Amino acid sequence: MSSSLTVLGSCGAWPEPGRACSGFVLEHEGFRVVLDLGYGTLSRLLAHLGSAVGDGVDAVVVTHHHPDHMLDLHGLFRARWFGRRDAAPIPLYAPPRVLAMLKSLEDEDPDDVDRVLAHRPLPAGPYDVGPFVLTSRALPHFVPNAGVRLAADGLCVSYTGDTGPDAALADLGRDADLFVVEASDRHQRRGVPPAATTSLHLSARQAGQAAAAAGARRLLLTHFWPGNDRERSRADAAAVFDGEVMLAEEGLRIALP
Ligand SMILES: [Zn+2]
């Protein structure tokens, strides 16, 4: 059975017209893991599944509780609550504040969330997630963010969520077939040099450096700030990383490994 990563959304912060914020579907041996569900990703996920109620999602991983990474998780909760209330809960691997945020949107009966999603905290583990072993690392961001690594027989995909530069990125993406790395490139909109950007997001050049340090095979840049020049981001990463550099794009399906 073929393995793949499908991009649901490629934008950071808020979606560009016609696009969505962070979200991916990783499929291997018939098992589907959703990675983040930011603004605008849910309808794309349901179309991908061919199910109006989210049938076919085997696990969800959310890196942190910023809404551009998790707000459509509430929509998935609703689809399951109204459409599949008696189904087994879907495992949700996420920092505890993701669950708290979700429950804050269900303030009449927050425990309903637990009937639909079975929470396991990140960073923690390792966890067995279908054919994968999920490991995670705390990475520097404005709020607790877990970088994740999903390794199966003959396949490894790592994803940063949102992060600043950190030595742990090399271990997170070590020898990965695909390293999905945020490239907010805030300097593009601010008109300042890349070095002057925050320590809590990455430039595309820093993303390339992380992929090179990790020895990753391919790099998928994502979390583009709205209005950014994505080809400029690709060139910046390719200047420091010898492997293939890809740009996240809504609907893009990457065959793995
Ligand atoms: Zn964030």
Side-chain angles (χ1 to χ4, degrees):
M1 197 170 293
S2 65
S3 305
S4 63
L5 183 92
T6 301
V7 178
L8 302 174
S10 63
C11 298
W14 75 96
E16 292 180 353
R19 295 191 186 271
C21 282
S22 299
F24 306 89
V25 183
L26 175 61
E27 304 184 44
H28 182 56
E29 295 182 358
F31 191 91
R32 287 197 193 92
V33 185
V34 175
L35 302 171
D36 281 349
L37 275 171
Y39 303 118
T41 53
L42 179 63
S43 72
R44 293 169 189 270
L45 171 65
L46 298 179
H48 178 79
L49 298 169
S51 167
V53 295
D55 288 342
V57 174
D58 297 302
V60 178
V61 174
V62 174
T63 56
H64 65 296
H65 76 274
H66 277 158
D68 56 327
H69 292 257
M70 69 152 285
L71 209 63
D72 276 19
L73 177 61
H74 186 254
L76 179 63
F77 158 75
R78 285 198 153 200
R80 301 302 290 173
W81 178 255
F82 290 110
R84 290 285 185 269
R85 196 169 302 184
D86 296 325
I90 298 171
L92 166 66
Y93 302 87
R97 285 171 72 178
V98 170
L99 187 70
M101 174 84 96
L102 202 56
K103 290 190 171 189
S104 75
L105 295 169
E106 286 297 311
D107 59 351
E108 284 169 44
D109 202 346
D111 292 341
D112 289 352
V113 171
D114 300 321
R115 286 181 56 184
V116 169
L117 297 163
H119 179 238
R120 287 119 165 96
L122 292 181
Y127 294 109
D128 290 322
V129 181
F132 297 102
V133 174
L134 167 63
T135 52
S136 54
R137 285 176 174 271
L139 295 173
H141 193 46
F142 300 93
V143 300
N145 174 79
V148 293
R149 179 180 172 95
L150 291 131
D153 252 0
L155 174 66
C156 178
V157 174
S158 297
Y159 172 43
T160 58
D162 285 358
T163 184
D166 195 282
L169 290 170
D171 284 336
L172 184 74
R174 181 74 61 207
D175 299 329
D177 297 294
L178 184 66
F179 197 6
V180 184
V181 182
E182 76 121 296
S184 297
D185 260 347
R186 295 297 310 275
H187 66 96
Q188 282 198 20
R189 313 308 303 163
R190 289 176 170 163
V192 298
T197 56
T198 167
S199 59
L200 300 175
H201 278 299
L202 294 180
S203 66
R205 181 181 176 85
Q206 290 168 325
Q209 288 168 333
R217 193 160 71 81
R218 290 192 286 177
L219 168 62
L220 177 66
L221 299 178
T222 191
H223 202 266
F224 302 108
W225 207 263
N228 273 9
D229 178 345
R230 298 180 178 204
E231 287 298 337
R232 180 179 163 193
S233 297
R234 191 208 300 266
D236 286 352
V240 291
F241 176 62
D242 289 337
E244 185 181 359
V245 179
M246 292 175 288
L247 302 177
E249 175 79 27
E250 284 71 10
L252 174 69
R253 180 183 175 278
I254 298 168
L256 297 171

